[in-house]
Amino acid sequence: MDNNNLEQITFGGGCFWCVESCFNMLNGVQSAISGYSGGHKDNPTYEEVCTGETGHAEVVQITFDPKIISYAQLMDVFFFLHDPTQLNRQGNDIGTQYRSVIYYKDGAEKAKAEEALKKSEKSGKWPGKYVTEITQFEKFWPAEQYHQGYYNENPTQPYCSAVVGPKIQKFKKHFGELGMLNEA
């Protein structure tokens, strides 16, 4: 990877344990870090974010090489991994911290996010109206260390085995067939 040309994207698609694990498997992704964005409290804790009172979403900040994986491909993965028609929830995970959101840094990124959302809506993969927010990026707060790589460290934890594991298997099958997964 060309470290001089790396870019970042930050978005939330429900529980960050699912999203972070999958993005870390993609060719061209240097890192996917679980954290929090979109709230009004500096350096929030997981417990604070879970109350819904800080305004943060659980997000993943992805550092990637656009020569290997494009913004559009990352958006395809984003819309594959979660249901963008569910307002403030993903399955049984309910609360504003689980909202579907894309954070953009400039007008060009905003336009790309809007285009990706329209493309996904037209695909019909998720029937219903999309509720994904497209919001100006302000700050990313990394989640506590125990959240980083959580699924890899805790695959038998009940939530991981019941929810995260099946989602990762579906992801690996689909994006593996497309040749987008790294070998590691």
Side-chain angles (χ1 to χ4, degrees):
M1 258 185 266
D2 183 355
N3 288 334
N4 294 324
N5 292 313
L6 296 178
E7 295 180 15
Q8 286 187 324
I9 183 171
T10 305
F11 43 60
C15 172
F16 49 35
W17 295 345
C18 300
V19 179
E20 176 254 353
S21 295
C22 293
F23 279 99
N24 273 317
M25 293 181 212
L26 292 169
N27 286 325
V29 170
Q30 183 188 59
S31 67
I33 299 171
S34 294
Y36 316 108
S37 281
H40 52 79
K41 182 182 188 309
D42 287 351
N43 204 24
T45 66
Y46 180 69
E47 290 75 18
E48 290 169 332
V49 171
C50 285
T51 68
E53 294 177 13
T54 68
H56 292 87
E58 285 192 18
V59 298
V60 175
Q61 187 167 77
I62 298 160
T63 302
F64 67 100
D65 185 339
K67 292 179 182 168
I68 300 172
I69 189 166
S70 69
Y71 185 95
Q73 288 172 308
L74 291 169
M75 287 286 100
D76 288 345
V77 173
F78 171 70
F79 285 115
F80 179 89
L81 289 175
H82 80 293
D83 182 346
T85 68
Q86 293 187 346
L87 182 62
N88 298 327
R89 72 179 300 156
Q90 282 300 300
N92 291 329
D93 293 333
I94 300 170
T96 57
Q97 70 270 27
Y98 299 116
R99 67 188 177 270
S100 176
V101 59
I102 302 166
Y103 292 98
Y104 64 87
K105 293 189 175 89
D106 57 34
E109 219 174 73
K110 180 180 181 186
K112 287 193 273 187
E114 290 169 341
E115 181 181 321
L117 187 143
K118 287 177 190 168
K119 177 185 169 194
S120 183
E121 275 184 317
K122 286 181 184 175
S123 77
K125 177 181 177 4
W126 300 104
K129 179 163 175 40
Y130 278 37
V131 295
T132 303
E133 297 174 11
I134 298 176
T135 303
Q136 176 74 46
F137 176 83
E138 291 181 18
K139 181 75 177 164
F140 171 78
W141 301 98
E144 296 82 350
Q145 188 56 42
Y146 73 91
H147 288 296
Q148 310 306 329
Y150 189 86
Y151 175 79
N152 293 340
E153 297 297 321
N154 303 280
T156 60
Q157 188 260 11
Y159 182 87
C160 287
S161 61
V163 177
V164 184
K167 185 179 279 198
I168 288 173
Q169 292 311 311
K170 183 178 168 186
F171 163 83
K172 286 169 98 172
K173 180 179 182 337
H174 180 76
F175 290 97
E177 289 171 358
L178 295 175
M180 291 177 64
L181 303 182
N182 61 41
E183 302 296 319

